[in-house]
Amino acid sequence: GAGKMVPSVNSIFESIMMKVREDGDMKEESLANLHFLFEKTLEKALDIVHAGAVKRVVAEKSGRELFQVRGRSSPSAGSAKGSARHGMAHSPELAKRRREGKTSSSLVRDEYLILPAPGAPSPFCSCHSFQYEAIHRGEAILCKHVLAARIAQALDMSVTIIVPDILLAQILLSY
């Protein structure tokens, strides 16, 4: 009927992830459901998880946590993305950052910060894709890094590092 509420993509995602955690595995049904929601983003996220590129950083005293997801370190030589990355030395954005005293490493940062935001309506990622899609356009709820972090968390496939609370704060400030 007209009075029924349609579940949000976020609530569907959360129920799939709950099932993955309960199963302790990515069953075919869960995989199919996630693929329906995220298509190519899921494939990229699973590659990240299988590459062991998800790190969970937990603050010793407060128990606060964040995730760091390593991007692809070396793009394949023949790919369009590879040649685009090599061309970045001449980009106006990089020239502007150099003038502002920001180093080139901040532009091509190899690790992304993911805040899982438990209980919050949505997580956060420091990657450009998330900034553009989720924040500016309000479209994709998750980028491949957030999806990878959530899958690794559900399957206990992240490397966990326990750090003093002050170091967790410094990591947050570095982004």
Side-chain angles (χ1 to χ4, degrees):
K4 279 192 179 172
M5 271 185 45
V6 178
S8 70
V9 172
N10 209 11
S11 68
I12 295 168
F13 172 69
E14 291 303 334
S15 65
I16 296 168
M17 293 315 293
M18 196 183 301
K19 178 112 176 75
V20 170
R21 272 192 305 277
E22 286 167 6
D23 294 343
D25 191 12
M26 184 74 74
K27 299 263 195 269
E28 205 170 315
E29 181 190 357
S30 296
L31 197 59
N33 289 335
L34 286 172
H35 190 268
F36 176 77
L37 288 179
F38 301 108
E39 296 174 353
K40 288 180 183 153
T41 306
L42 176 67
E43 293 163 32
K44 292 173 186 171
L46 290 173
D47 287 345
I48 291 169
V49 172
H50 291 302
V54 179
K55 186 166 56 179
R56 179 175 161 247
V57 184
V58 182
E60 203 170 19
K61 287 189 178 119
S62 67
R64 289 192 178 104
E65 66 178 22
L66 58 81
F67 288 84
Q68 287 179 310
V69 174
R70 204 170 57 242
R72 257 181 266 150
S73 325
S74 55
S76 57
S79 77
K81 275 188 181 165
S83 54
R85 179 169 289 179
H86 295 303
M88 280 174 71
H90 307 293
S91 79
E93 174 66 17
L94 185 54
K96 180 178 159 228
R97 282 176 166 263
R98 280 206 183 108
R99 282 194 306 274
E100 293 168 356
K102 294 178 181 165
T103 63
S104 60
S105 64
S106 67
L107 184 64
V108 287
R109 180 183 273 281
D110 210 23
E111 274 190 326
Y112 298 100
L113 170 75
I114 290 89
L115 301 174
S122 67
F124 169 83
C125 181
S126 63
C127 78
H128 294 296
S129 175
F130 184 85
Q131 306 298 313
Y132 182 72
E133 296 289 334
I135 295 174
H136 294 302
R137 288 175 50 189
E139 287 189 7
I141 59 157
L142 303 177
C143 64
K144 65 185 175 186
H145 308 109
V146 172
L147 195 53
R150 291 297 307 273
I151 291 169
Q153 185 181 29
L155 296 174
D156 200 22
M157 287 178 73
S158 59
V159 176
T160 298
I161 297 166
I162 296 167
V163 299
D165 286 50
I166 189 74
L167 184 57
L168 190 85
Q170 288 169 342
I171 291 169
L172 280 169
L173 289 171
S174 76
Y175 286 87

